[in-house]
Amino acid sequence: MNCINSIIHLMMSRTIRCCVVLVEGFNKSCIGWLVMFFGLLLAGCVRSSSESSLPTLPATTTLAPAGIRVTKVPQPDATARRFLEAWKEDDYVSMYQMLTSLSKDAISEEEFVQHYRGIASEVALAGVDYTILSSLVSSPQSAQVSYRVTLRSSLVGEITRDTLMNLSRENGEWRIQWNDTLVLPELVGGNYLVMERYVPSRGNIYDRKGSALAAQSEVTAIGLVPGQVLPEQTEQLFSILVSLLGIRAEDLQARMTAYPPGSDWYLPLGEVPSAEVGRYYETLASLSGVQLYPYKARYYFEGGVAPHVVGYVGTIQAEKIEEYLRKGYRRDERVGQTGLEKWGEAILSGRRGGALYVIDEQGQLLTRLAEVPAEPAQSIYTTLDKEFQIGVQRAISGFRGAIVVLERDTGRVLAMASSPTFDPNAFEPSNYNSYTLLNQIFSDPNRPYLNRATQGLYPLGSTFKIITMAAALETGQYSAESTYNCGYFFEEIPGVRLNDWTYERFLRDGKTQPSGLLTLPEGLIRSCNPFFWHIGLSLYRAGYTTAVTDMARSFGLGRATGIEGVDEESGQVPPPASEIDATNQAIGQGNMLVTPLQAAAFVAAVGNGGTLYQPQVIEKIVALDGTETRTFTPKVNGQLAVTPENLKIIQEAMRGVIVSTRPFGTAWHRFTGLDLNIAGKTGTAESGSGKPHAWFVGYTFENRPNKPDIAVAVVVENVGEGSEYAAPIFRRVVELYFYGQPGKLYPWESTYYITSTPTPEGFETPTPEPTLPQPPSP
């Protein structure tokens, strides 16, 4: 008994403290340890009590409180959750920082990141999901977390497995013992994943009638070494090449003579379906200087029909390979880079499938985790008419500019041409002509790859007077009977004198007179600048400071049209900040910028009664079995803020630009002899550099049951007046649409598409620079 008292007294003395450590999850084991300790101690006391007695310790009068220190161990599932969340976010660096020191010794951070990126690419990983199932702490220094992981593959769908994560405590924090079973339990012992990818054939792009614009084909690149062409074979050679390539003998001769005589430099001519080359193959093979290089790839017919709309495919760039692998692509695939090829990538490439396998360290197949078959691609039918589109491209060939042709009452894009154009086959590396063609495209200061129809930004010039006239009528400040004396000069702003176009013309010809007293419709017909300067200034001074701007926005300017499949600019129509701004805005100058597509859309609305349609280039999307998964439906962007009565006044004035009882309209002389109902407006826009841009916008109102009316916008850069250049091109487009062929020669043509000498200003006869020979084909 004395021994027991001594022990109790010892434990409660000031000099010896009992340190009770309470660790979460270990309370029972600690209590058990204490019970065992006291049992042994008491047993010793019982054994020794008969042998000797311990000295009696003096009693203490006060007891100090027992010291209790609580140390909390972090929950292991919190660490596991952070690791898995980082995996979901592709944050592999943060994942690596959570590993144990031993795991970090086994794999570097760079290797770890590359390993997980490789898994993501191989699996075509679209995402990771997980659920923590349970956690177990087996000792203060080790734990396990069980979780369910789901890998979402772009190719084979979801792969779900339950797996375990082992953790160790280092410096008071849980760290992860890493191995590949954290991805999938099958990846034990050095096993790894391999995906077999199933890729469907790419869908085709057609015009509205089913004529192919882009399709997988066997193609032959054709070129010449001019120095090797024998004079006695030239006539036969030219005859075949003109037939195959659709080029004129004159152009071919000009391109050949640009090369030094006797040189071995290579001249790329174009690409043709191999089936067509086959008809002439034996003859071509016997002719000196001809070079034929067959290849199989995505082919753009006729050297590119509407290439700015259709676009092109290209190789996956190095910096995007990982992105596309995770989408299910192969490294060597071609993907849409621009136009419909890019917009419709998911449609044209189909639904990829695949089979995911587990492979052991010896390269032997262990198991197939999942397999999903590929689904066929769909094809896109455009609203374009192939033959009409080719004619429209030729109509503006040699100039910098654009043409847009819309179905007036629906918004269908029937043709869209940007000049200069380019051959999209240049972007196929297996095309022997590719190197030279790409060099020509990207070294051309005229930027042929730019879609001037939707991305070219121009001041509208006098075509904007349609909008100014609408604002004048809608404010009630002007009517059809309002008049103005249109002289050579405008001097209503103190210290400012502006010249009318009639004065500029007078300086050149010495006979053009000012227009005189005009009504408002006559002001539009005659395109009187002083009249519209007066309107802009008077509305601004009367408090209608944004009337013209607001009207322009109701006409769709300053915002994107919403066209699908084609990149576009929104342009800008800022409100005037001063009287001079308002004056300039009224005739389409100042800070205003508009695309030809926007101009075509608003002139179509003027012609159809006020409905602003969204331009569309997609007629339908068709599955392999012929099912139409999407069909064209007109989409309305808005209504012009113009009453029917005022719109009719504008329409009649635009008709007067084309046809009048006297030679009065600015474009009447360009449309003589054309038996079609047309309304339009010329425009000459100061460009800020060089000559002005020439505009013409207009529409037809034939009301034929099987030939819908059209609206057309033409812009030609830096050539001069709209009536001199844009109006003749507009006429050519209308003739091609209604008659299927050109009717009247351009003022600068000697025969159709043959330029007179001298070449008109602004017109560029394409003559390629000699190019260095390519290395021999592999």
Side-chain angles (χ1 to χ4, degrees):
M1 189 69 184
N2 290 337
C3 178
I4 294 172
N5 289 335
S6 298
I7 291 170
I8 294 173
H9 181 77
L10 178 65
M11 291 181 62
M12 309 219 19
S13 67
R14 291 180 181 270
T15 59
I16 299 177
R17 296 284 188 264
C18 175
C19 180
V20 180
V21 179
L22 298 179
V23 179
E24 293 183 14
F26 293 97
N27 295 4
K28 291 182 179 180
S29 61
C30 289
I31 292 171
W33 182 85
L34 290 173
V35 170
M36 181 180 69
F37 172 78
F38 281 117
L40 292 173
L41 206 59
L42 288 172
C45 289
V46 170
R47 285 197 304 269
S48 62
S49 60
S50 61
E51 298 174 6
S52 62
S53 60
L54 294 173
T56 302
L57 297 175
T60 55
T61 56
T62 59
L63 297 176
I68 299 176
R69 184 182 60 193
V70 179
T71 301
K72 291 186 178 181
V73 175
Q75 292 295 328
D77 54 347
T79 300
R81 184 170 286 105
R82 288 197 305 273
F83 183 85
L84 295 171
E85 281 294 326
W87 188 12
K88 286 183 65 173
E89 299 299 323
D90 296 337
D91 187 359
Y92 307 132
V93 172
S94 294
M95 293 169 66
Y96 184 79
Q97 298 306 316
M98 300 182 211
L99 304 189
T100 63
S101 299
L102 195 59
S103 294
K104 290 181 177 179
D105 289 340
I107 185 171
S108 69
E109 179 180 303
E110 182 180 358
E111 291 170 336
F112 180 87
V113 170
Q114 289 300 322
H115 186 71
Y116 268 86
R117 289 174 64 180
I119 291 173
S121 297
E122 190 64 36
V123 177
L125 192 62
V128 177
D129 294 315
Y130 71 91
T131 302
I132 301 292
L133 301 178
S134 64
S135 62
L136 173 66
V137 178
S138 55
S139 77
Q141 302 301 320
S142 62
Q144 273 189 341
V145 173
S146 172
Y147 62 95
R148 179 168 296 144
V149 63
T150 298
L151 307 185
R152 288 185 284 108
S153 169
S154 300
L155 293 175
V156 297
E158 294 186 351
I159 303 162
T160 301
R161 295 290 188 275
D162 292 351
T163 190
L164 288 174
M165 179 187 295
N166 292 309
L167 301 95
S168 299
R169 284 189 68 200
E170 293 182 0
N171 300 320
E173 298 290 337
W174 289 114
R175 297 287 179 177
I176 295 162
Q177 300 174 17
W178 180 81
N179 61 61
D180 271 331
T181 62
L182 298 184
V183 178
L184 291 174
E186 288 88 345
L187 303 185
V188 64
N191 295 344
Y192 58 94
L193 297 170
V194 170
M195 178 74 78
E196 182 180 1
R197 297 168 187 246
Y198 306 151
V199 180
S201 298
R202 192 173 182 86
N204 297 336
I205 300 178
Y206 299 97
D207 79 346
R208 63 189 304 179
K209 298 176 181 177
S211 183
L213 305 179
Q216 187 77 6
S217 302
E218 293 185 354
V219 189
T220 298
I222 302 177
L224 285 176
V225 178
Q228 297 177 3
V229 175
L230 300 178
E232 62 270 21
Q233 296 179 343
T234 302
E235 183 177 350
Q236 185 180 18
L237 176 62
F238 276 32
S239 175
I240 295 175
L241 293 179
V242 166
S243 177
L244 270 177
L245 297 168
I247 59 177
R248 296 181 304 123
E250 295 86 349
D251 291 340
L252 181 55
Q253 183 64 54
R255 296 176 70 179
M256 287 183 60
T257 54
Y259 279 60
S263 74
D264 289 332
W265 290 356
Y266 177 78
L267 170 63
L269 296 179
E271 305 80 29
V272 177
S274 295
E276 296 182 22
V277 175
R279 293 182 294 145
Y280 304 96
Y281 184 80
E282 291 186 6
T283 304
L284 285 171
S286 67
L287 298 175
S288 298
V290 178
Q291 303 287 314
L292 304 176
Y293 299 97
Y295 67 97
K296 186 175 182 179
R298 185 75 161 179
Y299 176 60
Y300 300 93
F301 291 81
E302 311 294 339
V305 179
H308 299 91
V309 176
V310 174
Y312 59 86
V313 296
T315 54
I316 300 172
Q317 300 302 305
E319 66 273 12
K320 292 190 174 182
I321 284 179
E322 186 175 332
E323 173 190 340
Y324 276 96
L325 286 173
R326 293 185 66 164
K327 290 178 179 179
Y329 288 78
R330 293 195 313 253
R331 292 174 181 271
D332 62 347
E333 284 193 68
R334 308 292 190 260
V335 297
Q337 304 289 339
T338 62
L340 290 175
E341 291 279 27
K342 179 180 180 181
W343 174 88
E345 179 64 29
I347 297 165
L348 296 167
S349 64
R351 171 70 169 82
R352 286 163 169 72
L356 184 61
Y357 299 97
V358 178
I359 310 296
D360 68 15
E361 281 189 301
Q362 287 71 45
Q364 300 298 309
L365 190 153
L366 295 179
T367 186
R368 184 177 63 197
L369 297 180
E371 183 174 22
V372 173
E375 296 178 9
Q378 301 183 77
S379 292
I380 295 176
Y381 287 72
T382 68
T383 58
L384 305 172
D385 182 302
K386 181 179 178 180
E387 296 306 318
F388 179 54
Q389 172 70 33
I390 292 172
V392 170
Q393 288 177 204
R394 294 188 72 187
I396 198 171
S397 179
F399 292 100
R400 293 189 311 273
I403 302 173
V404 178
V405 184
L406 302 179
E407 203 170 77
R408 193 194 68 183
D409 299 342
T410 65
R412 277 187 177 92
V413 178
L414 303 183
M416 180 182 288
S418 178
S419 182
T421 187
F422 67 94
D423 182 354
N425 295 301
F427 295 89
E428 172 51 51
S430 60
N431 176 3
Y432 188 77
N433 292 339
S434 172
Y435 175 83
T436 305
L437 293 176
L438 286 177
N439 182 59
Q440 291 174 356
I441 290 170
F442 289 107
S443 64
D444 189 339
N446 295 313
R447 298 185 297 166
Y449 49 83
L450 174 68
N451 186 357
R452 286 169 161 82
T454 62
Q455 295 174 300
L457 292 170
Y458 308 90
L460 260 178
S462 291
T463 51
F464 187 79
K465 291 172 182 174
I466 298 168
I467 295 172
T468 302
M469 181 175 177
L473 292 169
E474 289 300 318
T475 59
Q477 298 294 297
Y478 292 84
S479 69
E481 291 74 34
S482 298
T483 59
Y484 185 85
N485 187 16
C486 186
Y488 280 144
F489 310 114
F490 177 79
E491 299 178 293
E492 295 181 28
I493 299 176
V496 175
R497 191 182 86 167
L498 304 175
N499 301 335
D500 186 38
W501 66 266
T502 55
Y503 180 70
E504 304 296 339
R505 182 76 62 85
F506 172 78
L507 293 179
R508 294 200 302 270
D509 63 20
K511 60 184 180 181
T512 301
Q513 296 299 306
S515 301
L517 188 65
L518 303 173
T519 63
L520 181 56
E522 290 173 337
L524 187 72
I525 293 169
R526 191 62 176 160
S527 198
C528 171
N529 286 336
F531 200 161
F532 284 84
W533 282 325
H534 172 75
I535 292 172
L537 181 61
S538 65
L539 291 178
Y540 188 85
R541 287 176 172 174
Y544 297 99
T545 56
T546 63
V548 176
T549 302
D550 294 341
M551 183 60 69
R553 289 173 178 167
S554 89
F555 274 58
L557 304 188
R559 57 187 169 91
T561 66
I563 188 171
E564 288 183 300
V566 184
D567 292 338
E568 66 170 327
E569 295 290 339
S570 298
Q572 61 183 33
V573 188
S578 65
E579 290 187 346
I580 194 66
D581 286 349
T583 304
N584 281 326
Q585 182 188 57
I587 64 162
Q589 293 290 164
N591 294 323
M592 158 190 317
L593 293 172
V594 175
T595 69
L597 179 63
Q598 290 172 322
F602 86 66
V603 80
V606 171
N608 68 33
T611 301
L612 195 65
Y613 287 102
Q614 176 183 312
Q616 298 185 64
V617 295
I618 301 161
E619 184 65 32
K620 58 185 177 181
I621 297 173
V622 182
L624 185 64
D625 62 2
T627 303
E628 296 183 3
T629 59
R630 169 175 165 173
T631 56
F632 175 87
T633 302
K635 298 178 181 179
V636 176
N637 274 347
Q639 297 290 325
L640 304 184
V642 186
T643 64
E645 297 78 16
N646 287 335
L647 190 59
K648 185 177 180 181
I649 296 170
I650 296 170
Q651 291 171 340
E652 290 175 350
M654 291 177 66
R655 175 61 176 160
V657 173
I658 308 295
V659 178
S660 56
T661 55
R662 56 192 176 101
F664 190 67
T666 53
W668 71 271
H669 58 301
R670 297 303 181 195
F671 294 92
T672 55
L674 184 61
D675 189 21
L676 291 171
N677 292 313
I678 300 172
K681 181 70 186 77
T682 56
T684 304
E686 296 300 326
S687 64
S689 61
K691 288 180 173 290
H693 302 319
W695 277 95
F696 195 92
V697 300
Y699 61 88
T700 66
F701 52 103
E702 284 289 293
N703 298 318
R704 301 185 185 185
N706 58 352
K707 197 73 171 176
D709 282 303
I710 58 174
V712 183
V714 178
V715 64
V716 189
E717 295 180 11
N718 303 115
V719 291
E721 295 182 8
S723 62
E724 299 300 317
Y725 288 92
I729 294 174
F730 176 95
R731 174 172 177 154
R732 174 71 55 88
V733 170
V734 171
E735 289 170 343
L736 290 169
Y737 179 73
F738 283 100
Y739 305 142
Q741 61 185 10
K744 187 176 182 179
L745 290 172
Y746 288 150
W748 54 86
E749 286 179 329
S750 57
T751 59
Y752 296 127
Y753 307 111
I754 303 296
T755 307
S756 301
T757 302
T759 300
E761 292 184 61
F763 189 91
E764 299 171 0
T765 301
T767 302
E769 293 294 326
T771 53
L772 293 174
Q774 293 188 359
S777 170

